Coordinates of all heavy atoms in Angstrom, one line a residue:
M891 N 85.9 -85.2 -65.5 CA 86.2 -86.3 -64.5 C 87.2 -87.3 -65.1 O 87.1 -87.6 -66.3 CB 84.8 -87.1 -64.4 CG 84.9 -88.3 -63.4 SD 83.3 -89.1 -63.4 CE 83.8 -90.7 -63.9
K892 N 88.3 -87.4 -64.3 CA 89.4 -88.3 -64.7 C 88.9 -89.7 -64.7 O 88.3 -90.1 -63.7 CB 90.6 -88.1 -63.9 CG 91.9 -88.8 -64.5 CD 93.1 -88.3 -63.7 CE 94.4 -89.1 -64.1 NZ 94.8 -88.8 -65.4
L893 N 89.3 -90.5 -65.7 CA 89.0 -92.0 -65.7 C 89.8 -92.7 -64.8 O 91.0 -92.4 -64.7 CB 89.1 -92.5 -67.1 CG 88.3 -92.0 -68.2 CD1 88.5 -92.5 -69.5 CD2 86.7 -92.2 -67.8
N894 N 89.4 -93.6 -64.0 CA 90.2 -94.5 -63.2 C 90.8 -95.5 -64.1 O 90.4 -95.7 -65.3 CB 89.5 -95.0 -61.9 CG 88.3 -95.9 -62.3 OD1 88.4 -96.6 -63.4 ND2 87.3 -95.9 -61.7
D895 N 91.6 -96.4 -63.6 CA 92.3 -97.4 -64.2 C 91.4 -98.4 -65.0 O 91.6 -98.7 -66.1 CB 93.4 -98.3 -63.5 CG 94.5 -97.3 -63.1 OD1 94.7 -96.2 -63.7 OD2 95.3 -97.8 -62.1
E896 N 90.4 -98.8 -64.3 CA 89.3 -99.7 -64.8 C 88.6 -99.1 -65.9 O 88.4 -99.7 -67.0 CB 88.4 -100.1 -63.6 CG 87.3 -101.1 -64.1 CD 86.4 -101.4 -62.9 OE1 86.8 -101.3 -61.8 OE2 85.3 -101.7 -63.2
Q897 N 88.2 -97.8 -65.8 CA 87.5 -97.1 -66.8 C 88.4 -97.0 -68.1 O 87.9 -97.1 -69.3 CB 87.0 -95.8 -66.3 CG 85.9 -95.9 -65.3 CD 85.5 -94.5 -64.7 OE1 86.5 -93.8 -64.4 NE2 84.3 -94.3 -64.5
Q898 N 89.7 -96.7 -67.9 CA 90.6 -96.4 -69.1 C 90.7 -97.7 -69.8 O 90.6 -97.8 -71.0 CB 92.0 -95.9 -68.6 CG 91.8 -94.6 -68.1 CD 93.2 -94.0 -67.9 OE1 94.3 -94.4 -68.3 NE2 93.3 -93.1 -66.9
K899 N 90.8 -98.8 -69.0 CA 91.0 -100.2 -69.7 C 89.7 -100.4 -70.5 O 89.7 -101.0 -71.6 CB 91.2 -101.3 -68.6 CG 91.4 -102.7 -69.3 CD 91.6 -103.7 -68.0 CE 91.7 -105.1 -68.6 NZ 91.4 -106.1 -67.8
K900 N 88.5 -100.1 -69.8 CA 87.2 -100.4 -70.5 C 87.1 -99.7 -71.8 O 86.6 -100.1 -72.8 CB 86.0 -100.2 -69.5 CG 84.7 -100.7 -69.9 CD 83.7 -100.5 -68.9 CE 82.4 -101.2 -69.2 NZ 81.4 -101.3 -68.1
L901 N 87.4 -98.4 -71.8 CA 87.4 -97.5 -72.9 C 88.1 -98.1 -74.1 O 87.6 -98.2 -75.2 CB 87.9 -96.1 -72.5 CG 88.0 -95.1 -73.6 CD1 86.6 -94.9 -74.3 CD2 88.7 -93.8 -73.1
I902 N 89.4 -98.5 -73.8 CA 90.3 -99.0 -74.9 C 89.7 -100.3 -75.3 O 89.5 -100.5 -76.6 CB 91.7 -99.2 -74.4 CG1 92.3 -97.8 -73.9 CG2 92.6 -99.9 -75.4 CD1 92.4 -96.8 -75.0
E903 N 89.2 -101.2 -74.6 CA 88.6 -102.4 -75.1 C 87.4 -102.2 -75.9 O 87.1 -102.7 -77.0 CB 88.1 -103.4 -73.7 CG 89.3 -103.9 -73.2 CD 89.0 -104.6 -71.9 OE1 87.7 -104.6 -71.5 OE2 89.8 -105.2 -71.2
K904 N 86.5 -101.2 -75.4 CA 85.4 -100.9 -76.2 C 85.6 -100.2 -77.5 O 85.1 -100.6 -78.5 CB 84.3 -99.9 -75.4 CG 83.0 -99.7 -76.0 CD 82.2 -101.0 -76.0 CE 80.8 -100.7 -76.5 NZ 80.0 -101.9 -76.6
L905 N 86.6 -99.4 -77.6 CA 86.9 -98.7 -78.8 C 87.5 -99.8 -79.8 O 87.1 -99.6 -81.0 CB 88.0 -97.6 -78.5 CG 87.5 -96.3 -77.8 CD1 88.5 -95.2 -77.8 CD2 86.2 -95.7 -78.6
N906 N 88.3 -100.7 -79.3 CA 88.8 -101.7 -80.2 C 87.7 -102.6 -80.6 O 87.9 -103.1 -81.8 CB 89.9 -102.5 -79.5 CG 91.3 -101.7 -79.5 OD1 91.6 -101.0 -80.3 ND2 92.0 -102.0 -78.2
E907 N 86.7 -102.8 -79.9 CA 85.6 -103.6 -80.3 C 84.8 -102.9 -81.4 O 84.3 -103.5 -82.4 CB 84.7 -103.9 -79.1 CG 83.5 -104.7 -79.4 CD 82.5 -104.6 -78.1 OE1 83.1 -104.8 -77.0 OE2 81.3 -104.7 -78.3
V908 N 84.4 -101.6 -81.3 CA 83.6 -101.0 -82.2 C 84.2 -100.2 -83.3 O 83.6 -99.9 -84.3 CB 82.6 -100.1 -81.5 CG1 81.8 -100.7 -80.3 CG2 83.4 -98.9 -80.8
W909 N 85.4 -99.8 -83.0 CA 86.1 -99.0 -84.1 C 87.0 -99.9 -85.0 O 87.9 -100.4 -84.6 CB 87.0 -97.9 -83.3 CG 87.4 -96.8 -84.2 CD1 87.2 -96.5 -85.5 CD2 88.3 -95.7 -83.7 NE1 87.8 -95.3 -85.8 CE2 88.5 -94.9 -84.8 CE3 88.8 -95.4 -82.5 CZ2 89.2 -93.6 -84.6 CZ3 89.6 -94.3 -82.3 CH2 89.8 -93.4 -83.4
Q910 N 86.4 -100.1 -86.2 CA 87.1 -101.0 -87.1 C 88.5 -100.7 -87.6 O 88.7 -99.5 -87.7 CB 86.1 -101.2 -88.4 CG 84.8 -101.8 -88.0 CD 84.9 -103.1 -87.2 OE1 85.6 -104.2 -87.8 NE2 84.2 -103.3 -86.1
Q911 N 89.4 -101.6 -87.7 CA 90.7 -101.4 -88.2 C 90.5 -101.1 -89.8 O 89.8 -101.6 -90.4 CB 91.6 -102.5 -87.9 CG 91.8 -102.9 -86.5 CD 92.7 -101.8 -85.9 OE1 93.4 -101.1 -86.5 NE2 92.9 -101.9 -84.6
P912 N 91.4 -100.4 -90.3 CA 92.5 -99.6 -89.6 C 91.7 -98.2 -89.2 O 90.7 -97.9 -89.8 CB 93.5 -99.2 -90.7 CG 92.7 -99.2 -92.0 CD 91.6 -100.4 -91.8
K913 N 92.2 -97.7 -88.1 CA 91.5 -96.5 -87.5 C 92.0 -95.2 -88.3 O 92.8 -94.4 -87.8 CB 91.9 -96.4 -86.0 CG 91.3 -97.6 -85.2 CD 91.6 -97.5 -83.9 CE 91.0 -98.6 -83.0 NZ 91.2 -100.0 -83.4
I914 N 91.5 -95.1 -89.5 CA 92.1 -94.0 -90.4 C 91.3 -92.7 -90.1 O 90.0 -92.7 -89.9 CB 91.8 -94.4 -91.8 CG1 92.6 -95.6 -92.2 CG2 92.2 -93.3 -92.7 CD1 94.2 -95.5 -92.1
C915 N 92.0 -91.7 -89.9 CA 91.3 -90.3 -89.8 C 90.7 -89.9 -91.0 O 91.3 -90.0 -92.2 CB 92.4 -89.3 -89.4 SG 91.8 -87.5 -89.4
S916 N 89.4 -89.6 -91.0 CA 88.6 -89.2 -92.2 C 89.1 -87.9 -92.8 O 88.7 -87.5 -93.9 CB 87.1 -89.2 -91.9 OG 86.9 -88.2 -90.9
V917 N 89.8 -87.0 -92.1 CA 90.2 -85.8 -92.6 C 91.7 -85.9 -93.3 O 91.8 -85.4 -94.4 CB 90.4 -84.8 -91.5 CG1 91.0 -83.4 -91.9 CG2 89.0 -84.4 -90.9
C918 N 92.7 -86.5 -92.7 CA 94.0 -86.5 -93.1 C 94.5 -87.9 -93.6 O 95.5 -87.9 -94.2 CB 95.0 -85.9 -92.2 SG 95.3 -86.9 -90.7
G919 N 93.9 -89.0 -93.2 CA 94.2 -90.3 -93.6 C 95.4 -90.9 -92.7 O 95.6 -92.1 -92.9
H920 N 95.8 -90.3 -91.6 CA 96.7 -90.9 -90.8 C 95.9 -91.8 -89.9 O 94.7 -91.7 -89.8 CB 97.4 -89.8 -90.0 CG 98.5 -89.2 -90.7 ND1 98.4 -88.3 -91.8 CD2 99.9 -89.4 -90.6 CE1 99.5 -87.9 -92.3 NE2 100.4 -88.6 -91.7
N921 N 96.7 -92.6 -89.0 CA 95.9 -93.5 -88.1 C 96.5 -93.5 -86.7 O 96.5 -94.6 -86.2 CB 95.9 -95.0 -88.7 CG 97.3 -95.5 -88.9 OD1 98.3 -94.8 -88.7 ND2 97.5 -96.8 -89.1
Q922 N 97.0 -92.5 -86.3 CA 97.5 -92.4 -84.8 C 96.6 -91.4 -84.0 O 96.4 -90.3 -84.5 CB 98.9 -92.0 -84.8 CG 99.9 -93.0 -85.4 CD 101.3 -92.6 -85.2 OE1 101.7 -91.5 -85.3 NE2 102.1 -93.8 -85.0
W923 N 96.2 -91.9 -82.9 CA 95.1 -91.1 -82.1 C 95.6 -91.1 -80.7 O 96.2 -91.9 -80.2 CB 93.7 -92.0 -82.1 CG 93.2 -92.0 -83.6 CD1 93.4 -93.0 -84.4 CD2 92.4 -91.1 -84.2 NE1 92.8 -92.8 -85.7 CE2 92.0 -91.6 -85.4 CE3 91.8 -90.0 -83.8 CZ2 91.2 -90.9 -86.4 CZ3 90.9 -89.3 -84.7 CH2 90.6 -89.9 -85.9
D924 N 95.2 -90.0 -80.0 CA 95.3 -89.7 -78.6 C 93.9 -90.0 -78.0 O 93.0 -89.3 -78.5 CB 95.9 -88.4 -78.1 CG 97.2 -88.2 -78.3 OD1 98.0 -89.3 -78.0 OD2 97.7 -87.1 -78.5
V925 N 93.6 -90.9 -77.0 CA 92.5 -91.1 -76.5 C 92.4 -90.4 -75.2 O 93.3 -90.6 -74.3 CB 92.2 -92.6 -76.4 CG1 90.8 -92.8 -75.6 CG2 92.1 -93.3 -77.7
S926 N 91.3 -89.6 -74.9 CA 91.2 -88.9 -73.7 C 91.2 -89.8 -72.4 O 90.7 -91.0 -72.6 CB 90.1 -88.0 -73.6 OG 88.9 -88.8 -73.7
D927 N 91.7 -89.3 -71.3 CA 91.7 -90.0 -70.0 C 90.7 -89.3 -69.1 O 90.6 -89.5 -67.9 CB 93.0 -90.2 -69.4 CG 93.6 -88.8 -68.9 OD1 93.1 -87.7 -69.3 OD2 94.6 -88.8 -68.2
R928 N 89.7 -88.5 -69.7 CA 88.8 -87.8 -68.9 C 87.4 -87.9 -69.5 O 87.4 -88.1 -70.8 CB 89.1 -86.3 -68.7 CG 90.4 -86.2 -67.9 CD 90.8 -84.7 -67.7 NE 92.2 -84.7 -67.1 CZ 92.4 -84.5 -65.8 NH1 91.3 -84.4 -65.1 NH2 93.4 -84.6 -65.3
I929 N 86.4 -87.7 -68.8 CA 85.0 -87.5 -69.5 C 84.7 -86.1 -69.4 O 84.8 -85.3 -68.3 CB 84.0 -88.3 -68.5 CG1 84.4 -89.9 -68.7 CG2 82.5 -88.2 -69.2 CD1 83.5 -90.7 -67.8
F930 N 84.2 -85.6 -70.5 CA 83.8 -84.1 -70.6 C 82.2 -84.2 -70.9 O 81.7 -85.3 -70.9 CB 84.5 -83.6 -71.9 CG 86.0 -83.4 -71.6 CD1 86.8 -84.6 -72.1 CD2 86.5 -82.3 -71.1 CE1 88.2 -84.5 -71.9 CE2 87.9 -82.3 -70.8 CZ 88.8 -83.3 -71.3
E931 N 81.7 -83.1 -71.0 CA 80.2 -83.0 -71.1 C 79.9 -81.9 -72.2 O 80.5 -81.0 -72.4 CB 79.6 -82.6 -69.8 CG 80.0 -81.4 -69.3 CD 79.3 -81.2 -67.9 OE1 79.1 -82.2 -67.1 OE2 78.9 -80.1 -67.6
L932 N 78.8 -82.4 -73.0 CA 78.2 -81.6 -74.0 C 77.0 -81.1 -73.4 O 76.0 -81.9 -73.1 CB 78.0 -82.2 -75.3 CG 79.2 -82.6 -76.1 CD1 78.8 -83.4 -77.3 CD2 80.0 -81.5 -76.5
R933 N 76.7 -79.8 -73.3 CA 75.5 -79.2 -72.7 C 74.6 -78.8 -73.8 O 75.0 -78.3 -74.8 CB 75.8 -78.0 -71.7 CG 76.6 -78.4 -70.6 CD 76.7 -77.2 -69.6 NE 77.2 -77.6 -68.5 CZ 76.5 -78.0 -67.5 NH1 75.3 -78.0 -67.4 NH2 77.2 -78.4 -66.3
E934 N 73.3 -79.0 -73.5 CA 72.3 -78.5 -74.4 C 72.4 -76.9 -74.5 O 72.6 -76.3 -73.6 CB 70.9 -78.8 -73.8 CG 69.7 -78.4 -74.7 CD 68.5 -78.9 -74.2 OE1 68.3 -79.6 -73.1 OE2 67.4 -78.4 -74.6
F935 N 72.1 -76.5 -75.8 CA 72.3 -75.1 -76.0 C 71.0 -74.4 -75.7 O 69.8 -74.9 -75.9 CB 72.6 -74.9 -77.5 CG 72.7 -73.4 -78.0 CD1 73.8 -72.6 -77.5 CD2 71.7 -72.8 -78.8 CE1 74.0 -71.3 -78.0 CE2 71.8 -71.4 -79.2 CZ 72.9 -70.7 -78.7
H936 N 71.1 -73.3 -75.0 CA 69.9 -72.5 -74.5 C 70.0 -71.1 -74.9 O 70.0 -70.2 -74.0 CB 69.7 -72.7 -73.0 CG 69.3 -74.1 -72.4 ND1 68.0 -74.5 -72.6 CD2 70.1 -75.1 -72.0 CE1 68.0 -75.7 -72.0 NE2 69.2 -76.1 -71.8
G937 N 70.3 -70.8 -76.1 CA 70.3 -69.5 -76.5 C 71.5 -68.6 -76.0 O 71.5 -67.4 -75.9
G938 N 72.5 -69.3 -75.6 CA 73.7 -68.5 -75.1 C 73.7 -68.5 -73.6 O 74.7 -68.2 -72.9
G939 N 72.6 -68.8 -72.8 CA 72.6 -68.8 -71.3 C 73.0 -70.2 -70.9 O 73.0 -71.1 -71.6
M940 N 73.5 -70.2 -69.7 CA 73.9 -71.4 -69.0 C 72.7 -71.9 -68.1 O 72.4 -71.3 -67.2 CB 75.2 -71.1 -68.1 CG 75.7 -72.3 -67.3 SD 76.5 -73.4 -68.5 CE 77.9 -73.7 -67.5
V941 N 72.3 -73.1 -68.3 CA 71.3 -73.7 -67.6 C 71.9 -75.1 -67.0 O 72.5 -75.9 -67.7 CB 70.1 -74.2 -68.4 CG1 69.0 -74.9 -67.7 CG2 69.4 -72.8 -69.2
I942 N 71.8 -75.1 -65.7 CA 72.2 -76.2 -64.9 C 71.1 -76.9 -64.3 O 70.3 -76.3 -63.5 CB 73.3 -75.8 -63.9 CG1 74.5 -75.1 -64.6 CG2 73.8 -77.0 -63.1 CD1 75.5 -74.6 -63.6
G943 N 71.0 -78.3 -64.5 CA 69.9 -79.1 -63.9 C 68.6 -78.8 -64.7 O 68.5 -78.5 -65.8
G944 N 67.5 -79.1 -63.9 CA 66.2 -79.1 -64.6 C 66.1 -80.0 -65.7 O 66.6 -81.1 -65.7
Q945 N 65.5 -79.5 -66.8 CA 65.2 -80.3 -68.0 C 66.3 -80.3 -69.0 O 66.2 -80.8 -70.1 CB 63.9 -79.9 -68.7 CG 62.7 -80.2 -67.8 CD 62.5 -81.7 -67.3 OE1 62.6 -82.5 -68.2 NE2 62.3 -81.9 -66.1
S946 N 67.3 -79.5 -68.6 CA 68.5 -79.4 -69.6 C 69.3 -80.7 -69.8 O 69.5 -81.4 -68.8 CB 69.5 -78.3 -69.1 OG 70.5 -78.1 -70.1
S947 N 69.7 -81.0 -71.0 CA 70.3 -82.3 -71.3 C 71.9 -82.1 -71.4 O 72.3 -81.1 -71.9 CB 69.9 -82.7 -72.7 OG 70.5 -83.9 -73.2
I948 N 72.5 -83.1 -70.9 CA 74.0 -83.2 -70.9 C 74.4 -84.5 -71.3 O 73.8 -85.5 -70.9 CB 74.6 -82.9 -69.4 CG1 74.3 -81.5 -69.0 CG2 76.1 -83.2 -69.5 CD1 74.7 -81.3 -67.5
T949 N 75.4 -84.5 -72.3 CA 75.9 -85.8 -72.7 C 77.3 -85.9 -72.3 O 78.2 -85.1 -72.8 CB 75.8 -85.8 -74.3 OG1 74.4 -85.7 -74.8 CG2 76.3 -87.2 -74.8
P950 N 77.7 -87.0 -71.5 CA 79.1 -87.2 -71.2 C 79.8 -87.7 -72.3 O 79.3 -88.7 -73.1 CB 78.9 -88.2 -70.0 CG 77.7 -88.9 -70.3 CD 76.7 -87.9 -71.0
I951 N 81.1 -87.3 -72.7 CA 81.7 -87.8 -73.8 C 83.2 -88.1 -73.5 O 83.7 -87.5 -72.5 CB 81.7 -86.8 -75.0 CG1 82.3 -85.4 -74.6 CG2 80.3 -86.7 -75.5 CD1 82.8 -84.7 -75.7
V952 N 83.8 -89.0 -74.1 CA 85.2 -89.1 -74.2 C 85.6 -88.8 -75.7 O 84.7 -89.0 -76.5 CB 85.7 -90.6 -73.8 CG1 85.5 -90.7 -72.2 CG2 84.9 -91.7 -74.6
H953 N 86.9 -88.5 -75.9 CA 87.2 -88.2 -77.3 C 88.4 -88.8 -77.7 O 89.3 -89.2 -76.8 CB 87.3 -86.7 -77.6 CG 88.2 -86.0 -76.7 ND1 89.4 -85.9 -77.0 CD2 88.1 -85.3 -75.5 CE1 90.1 -85.1 -76.1 NE2 89.2 -84.7 -75.2
A954 N 88.7 -88.9 -79.1 CA 90.0 -89.4 -79.6 C 90.3 -88.4 -80.6 O 89.6 -87.9 -81.4 CB 89.7 -90.7 -80.3
T955 N 91.6 -87.9 -80.5 CA 92.1 -86.8 -81.3 C 93.2 -87.2 -82.3 O 94.1 -87.9 -81.8 CB 92.7 -85.8 -80.5 OG1 91.6 -85.3 -79.6 CG2 93.2 -84.5 -81.3
C956 N 93.1 -87.0 -83.5 CA 94.2 -87.4 -84.5 C 95.4 -86.7 -84.2 O 95.4 -85.5 -84.1 CB 93.7 -87.2 -85.9 SG 95.0 -87.3 -87.2
K957 N 96.6 -87.5 -84.1 CA 97.7 -86.9 -83.7 C 98.4 -86.0 -84.8 O 99.3 -85.3 -84.5 CB 98.8 -87.9 -83.4 CG 98.6 -88.7 -82.0 CD 99.7 -89.8 -81.6 CE 99.4 -90.3 -80.4 NZ 100.6 -91.3 -80.1
N958 N 97.9 -86.2 -86.0 CA 98.5 -85.4 -87.2 C 97.7 -84.1 -87.4 O 98.2 -83.0 -87.5 CB 98.4 -86.3 -88.5 CG 99.0 -85.6 -89.6 OD1 100.2 -85.2 -89.6 ND2 98.3 -85.3 -90.7
C959 N 96.4 -84.2 -87.5 CA 95.6 -83.0 -87.9 C 94.6 -82.5 -86.8 O 94.0 -81.4 -86.9 CB 94.7 -83.2 -89.1 SG 93.3 -84.3 -88.9
S960 N 94.6 -83.2 -85.6 CA 93.8 -82.8 -84.5 C 92.2 -83.0 -84.7 O 91.4 -82.4 -83.9 CB 94.0 -81.3 -84.1 OG 95.4 -81.2 -83.8
H961 N 91.8 -83.6 -85.8 CA 90.4 -83.9 -86.0 C 90.1 -84.8 -84.8 O 90.8 -85.6 -84.2 CB 90.2 -84.8 -87.2 CG 88.8 -85.2 -87.5 ND1 87.7 -84.4 -87.6 CD2 88.3 -86.5 -87.6 CE1 86.6 -85.1 -87.8 NE2 87.0 -86.3 -87.8
T962 N 88.9 -84.5 -84.2 CA 88.4 -85.1 -82.9 C 87.1 -85.9 -83.0 O 86.2 -85.3 -83.7 CB 88.3 -84.0 -81.8 OG1 89.5 -83.4 -81.6 CG2 87.9 -84.6 -80.5
L963 N 87.1 -87.2 -82.5 CA 85.9 -87.9 -82.6 C 85.3 -88.0 -81.1 O 86.1 -88.1 -80.2 CB 86.2 -89.3 -83.0 CG 86.8 -89.5 -84.4 CD1 87.2 -90.9 -84.7 CD2 85.9 -89.0 -85.5
F964 N 84.0 -87.9 -81.0 CA 83.4 -88.1 -79.7 C 82.8 -89.4 -79.7 O 82.1 -89.8 -80.5 CB 82.4 -87.0 -79.6 CG 82.9 -85.6 -79.4 CD1 82.0 -84.4 -79.8 CD2 84.0 -85.3 -78.9 CE1 82.5 -83.1 -79.7 CE2 84.6 -84.0 -78.9 CZ 83.8 -83.0 -79.2
F965 N 82.8 -89.9 -78.4 CA 82.1 -91.2 -78.1 C 81.3 -91.0 -76.7 O 81.9 -90.4 -75.8 CB 83.0 -92.3 -77.8 CG 83.8 -92.6 -79.1 CD1 85.1 -92.0 -79.4 CD2 83.4 -93.6 -80.0 CE1 85.8 -92.4 -80.5 CE2 84.1 -93.9 -81.1 CZ 85.3 -93.2 -81.3
N966 N 80.0 -91.3 -76.8 CA 79.3 -91.1 -75.6 C 79.6 -92.1 -74.4 O 79.6 -93.4 -74.6 CB 77.7 -91.5 -76.0 CG 76.7 -91.2 -74.9 OD1 77.0 -91.5 -73.7 ND2 75.7 -90.5 -75.4
A967 N 80.0 -91.5 -73.4 CA 80.5 -92.3 -72.2 C 79.6 -93.2 -71.6 O 79.9 -94.2 -71.1 CB 81.1 -91.4 -71.2
L968 N 78.2 -92.8 -71.6 CA 77.1 -93.6 -71.1 C 77.0 -94.8 -72.0 O 77.0 -96.0 -71.6 CB 75.8 -92.9 -71.0 CG 75.5 -92.0 -69.9 CD1 74.3 -91.2 -70.1 CD2 75.4 -92.9 -68.6
K969 N 76.9 -94.6 -73.3 CA 76.7 -95.7 -74.2 C 77.8 -96.8 -74.3 O 77.7 -97.9 -74.4 CB 76.5 -95.2 -75.7 CG 75.3 -94.2 -75.8 CD 74.1 -94.9 -76.2 CE 73.0 -93.9 -76.3 NZ 71.6 -94.5 -76.5
I970 N 79.0 -96.2 -74.1 CA 80.2 -97.0 -74.0 C 80.3 -97.8 -72.7 O 80.9 -99.0 -72.7 CB 81.5 -96.2 -74.2 CG1 81.7 -96.0 -75.7 CG2 82.7 -96.9 -73.6 CD1 83.0 -95.2 -76.0
G971 N 79.7 -97.4 -71.7 CA 79.4 -98.1 -70.4 C 80.5 -97.6 -69.4 O 80.7 -98.4 -68.5
L972 N 81.1 -96.4 -69.6 CA 82.1 -95.9 -68.6 C 81.5 -95.5 -67.3 O 82.1 -95.5 -66.4 CB 82.9 -94.9 -69.2 CG 83.8 -95.3 -70.3 CD1 84.6 -94.0 -70.9 CD2 84.8 -96.3 -70.0
I973 N 80.3 -95.1 -67.5 CA 79.6 -94.6 -66.3 C 78.1 -94.9 -66.2 O 77.7 -95.4 -67.3 CB 79.6 -92.9 -66.2 CG1 79.1 -92.3 -67.5 CG2 81.1 -92.4 -65.9 CD1 78.9 -90.7 -67.5
D974 N 77.6 -94.9 -65.1 CA 76.2 -95.2 -64.9 C 75.3 -94.0 -65.2 O 75.9 -92.8 -65.2 CB 75.9 -95.6 -63.4 CG 76.6 -96.9 -63.1 OD1 76.7 -97.8 -64.1 OD2 77.0 -97.0 -62.0
K975 N 74.0 -94.2 -65.5 CA 73.2 -93.1 -65.8 C 73.2 -92.1 -64.6 O 73.1 -90.9 -64.7 CB 71.7 -93.7 -66.1 CG 70.9 -92.5 -66.7 CD 69.7 -93.0 -67.4 CE 68.9 -91.9 -68.0 NZ 68.7 -92.0 -69.4
D976 N 73.3 -92.6 -63.4 CA 73.3 -91.9 -62.1 C 74.7 -91.2 -62.0 O 75.6 -91.8 -61.4 CB 72.9 -92.5 -60.9 CG 73.0 -91.7 -59.7 OD1 73.2 -90.5 -59.8 OD2 72.9 -92.3 -58.6
V977 N 75.0 -90.1 -62.7 CA 76.4 -89.4 -62.7 C 76.8 -89.1 -61.3 O 78.0 -89.3 -61.1 CB 76.2 -88.1 -63.6 CG1 77.7 -87.5 -63.5 CG2 75.8 -88.6 -65.0
N978 N 76.1 -88.8 -60.4 CA 76.4 -88.4 -59.0 C 77.2 -89.5 -58.4 O 78.2 -89.3 -57.6 CB 75.3 -88.0 -58.1 CG 74.7 -86.7 -58.4 OD1 75.4 -85.9 -59.1 ND2 73.5 -86.5 -58.3
S979 N 76.9 -90.8 -58.9 CA 77.5 -91.9 -58.1 C 78.9 -92.3 -58.8 O 79.8 -92.8 -58.1 CB 76.5 -93.3 -58.3 OG 76.6 -93.6 -59.7
T980 N 79.2 -91.7 -59.9 CA 80.4 -92.0 -60.6 C 81.3 -90.7 -60.3 O 82.6 -90.8 -60.3 CB 80.3 -92.2 -62.1 OG1 79.6 -91.0 -62.6 CG2 79.5 -93.4 -62.3
S981 N 80.7 -89.6 -60.0 CA 81.7 -88.4 -59.8 C 82.7 -88.4 -58.7 O 83.6 -88.0 -58.5 CB 80.8 -87.2 -59.8 OG 80.1 -87.1 -58.7
K982 N 82.3 -89.4 -57.7 CA 83.1 -89.6 -56.5 C 84.3 -90.3 -56.8 O 85.2 -90.4 -56.0 CB 82.2 -90.3 -55.5 CG 81.0 -89.5 -55.0 CD 80.1 -90.3 -54.1 CE 78.9 -89.5 -53.8 NZ 77.9 -90.3 -53.2
T983 N 84.5 -90.9 -57.9 CA 85.6 -91.7 -58.2 C 86.8 -90.7 -58.7 O 87.9 -91.3 -58.8 CB 85.3 -92.8 -59.4 OG1 85.0 -92.0 -60.5 CG2 84.3 -93.7 -58.9
E984 N 86.6 -89.5 -58.8 CA 87.6 -88.6 -59.3 C 88.8 -88.5 -58.4 O 88.7 -88.6 -57.2 CB 87.0 -87.2 -59.5 CG 87.6 -86.6 -60.8 CD 86.9 -85.3 -61.0 OE1 85.7 -85.2 -60.9 OE2 87.5 -84.3 -61.4
Ligands
LIG1978 ZN1 93.8 -86.5 -89.0

């Protein structure tokens, strides 16, 4: 799901609030990052099978990738406040 302008602004504000300066990569020591403009999802592992819905857990994430070494950090899009718990209501903004 692509972030709208308001969500992108909120993401940057929240990352600046919680991610202390300098934003050093723990792998290579550089400090330049690409921040995703989309929300992705992490699905619960079910032994290699694909389970959609039911009791299966999905975590919506946004990520920041180090421009030097590609180390990637995940941030929970729900906890950051980019989307509501009712995902169906936000997927229409795409
Ligand atoms: Zn790095």
Side-chain angles (χ1 to χ4, degrees):
M891 179 180 123
K892 188 169 174 71
L893 298 174
N894 62 33
D895 291 345
E896 181 182 331
Q897 289 170 316
Q898 288 184 30
K899 182 179 175 205
K900 189 172 189 174
L901 172 60
I902 297 301
E903 287 173 354
K904 187 65 176 181
L905 290 182
N906 283 331
E907 175 189 325
V908 300
W909 196 0
Q910 299 299 307
Q911 295 286 346
K913 296 172 174 60
I914 300 294
C915 174
S916 63
V917 174
C918 73
H920 282 73
N921 66 346
Q922 293 185 323
W923 299 86
D924 278 326
V925 177
S926 64
D927 64 351
R928 295 175 188 270
I929 298 176
F930 297 87
E931 59 187 35
L932 293 177
R933 293 186 173 273
E934 181 179 349
F935 181 69
H936 290 281
M940 179 76 137
V941 175
I942 299 174
Q945 298 298 315
S946 185
S947 176
I948 296 175
T949 302
I951 58 154
V952 290
H953 60 81
T955 303
C956 174
K957 289 183 175 181
N958 186 55
C959 75
S960 301
H961 178 59
T962 302
L963 301 175
F964 291 153
F965 298 89
N966 186 313
L968 275 173
K969 302 264 184 190
I970 278 184
L972 294 179
I973 55 174
D974 296 327
K975 192 163 183 129
D976 181 8
V977 176
N978 289 332
S979 67
T980 58
S981 63
K982 295 174 184 167
T983 60
E984 218 173 323

